[in-house]
Amino acid sequence: RSTQAKTLFPYTTLFRSKGIPIIILDRKVNTSNYTTFIGSDNVEVGKIAGKYIASRANKVTNVLEIRATTNISPGVERSLGFKQVLNQFSNINRKSITAVSLDSLNQSFSRVLDSIPNLDYVFAFNDNIALQVWEVAKKKNKVGNIKFIGVDGLNGPVGGIQAVKEGKLTATVLYPTGGSEAIKVALQIVKKEIVPKKIFFNRQKDI
């Protein structure tokens, strides 16, 4: 399993040359040499988060975006959609940092908390990152006025939906995992049925 487009590229070429069907899930690759791509509109994910904040920003609002590493397509696209919305509002101040590693993220976020005492919102690439920085803010006694927003909205005791219920996250953008869709498409391929080159999930929503 790989999440990096450059890592996947040589394998798509190899497998296709051997007639092996390839289903790409979530991460886009810089080639059309695959059977089908299954994923969501990640630009729309970023826009949903941006609109959520913009609709509640009735004063000068300070927002921190925590991006994924820049070499994965969901991270790039979510950031793009987020910026497209917030850049329309002069009362919203947006700063961004990149989650290069867990340790460096904790340090970077801690510095942001010190430099922006009136931070209003944190939008993180996913729920796990949002919860991690929530813990950092909690240790610094600064969770009270900051609203944390993540992406995924998975069920379960450690998922984003539970985190919203517990008040750790203010919101999470629901994002399908795509597992069941991938299995359905694989069965279609086995049956020699024609499948679309690209399959996108229904539009996401926030919770």
Side-chain angles (χ1 to χ4, degrees):
R1 177 181 180 270
S2 175
T3 61
Q4 308 300 326
K6 290 182 179 179
T7 306
L8 286 171
F9 181 82
Y11 292 103
T12 60
T13 303
L14 174 63
F15 294 151
R16 288 290 279 177
S17 68
K18 295 181 180 294
I20 300 173
I22 300 171
I23 299 173
I24 303 293
L25 186 61
D26 192 41
R27 266 58 167 171
K28 293 178 179 177
V29 292
N30 298 322
T31 178
S32 60
N33 204 15
Y34 56 85
T35 306
T36 188
F37 165 84
I38 302 174
S40 289
D41 185 345
N42 279 289
V43 174
E44 182 65 18
V45 169
K47 287 182 176 180
I48 289 172
K51 290 175 182 177
Y52 181 92
I53 293 172
S55 67
R56 292 159 175 79
N58 53 10
K59 59 179 179 62
V60 175
T61 302
N62 296 312
V63 178
L64 174 70
E65 176 196 4
I66 302 178
R67 303 179 306 231
T69 50
T70 55
N71 57 348
I72 57 174
S73 59
V76 173
E77 293 171 358
R78 290 175 192 179
S79 181
L80 175 62
F82 190 65
K83 288 185 289 187
Q84 286 177 348
V85 172
L86 294 196
N87 285 349
Q88 301 176 47
F89 298 87
S90 59
N91 64 312
I92 297 179
N93 302 316
R94 181 184 59 83
K95 179 181 175 64
S96 62
I97 59 175
T98 302
V100 177
S101 68
L102 298 182
D103 288 339
S104 67
L105 173 58
N106 289 349
Q107 296 171 12
S108 297
F109 182 63
S110 183
R111 287 194 293 268
V112 169
L113 290 177
D114 293 335
S115 64
I116 308 178
N118 297 318
L119 183 61
D120 298 295
Y121 286 92
V122 172
F123 169 56
F125 167 75
N126 61 36
D127 291 336
N128 288 339
I129 292 175
L131 287 169
Q132 179 179 328
V133 295
W134 180 88
E135 291 287 351
V136 174
K138 181 182 178 183
K139 291 177 182 177
K140 295 175 75 75
N141 295 316
K142 293 190 175 183
V143 293
N145 298 321
I146 306 174
K147 297 176 178 62
F148 295 83
I149 301 169
V151 176
D152 283 334
L154 297 179
N155 284 305
V158 296
I161 292 178
Q162 183 61 32
V164 171
K165 291 178 179 178
E166 293 175 356
K168 295 178 179 179
L169 300 186
T170 300
T172 178
V173 182
L174 301 180
Y175 190 85
T177 60
S180 61
E181 288 79 5
I183 293 172
K184 291 175 184 177
V185 170
L187 291 174
Q188 288 179 287
I189 294 172
V190 169
K191 295 177 182 177
K192 307 298 183 182
E193 297 177 9
I194 297 175
V195 297
K197 189 70 174 180
K198 293 183 179 180
I199 300 172
F200 290 97
F201 303 128
N202 293 331
R203 182 166 293 185
Q204 298 79 15
K205 61 182 180 178
D206 61 87
I207 183 171

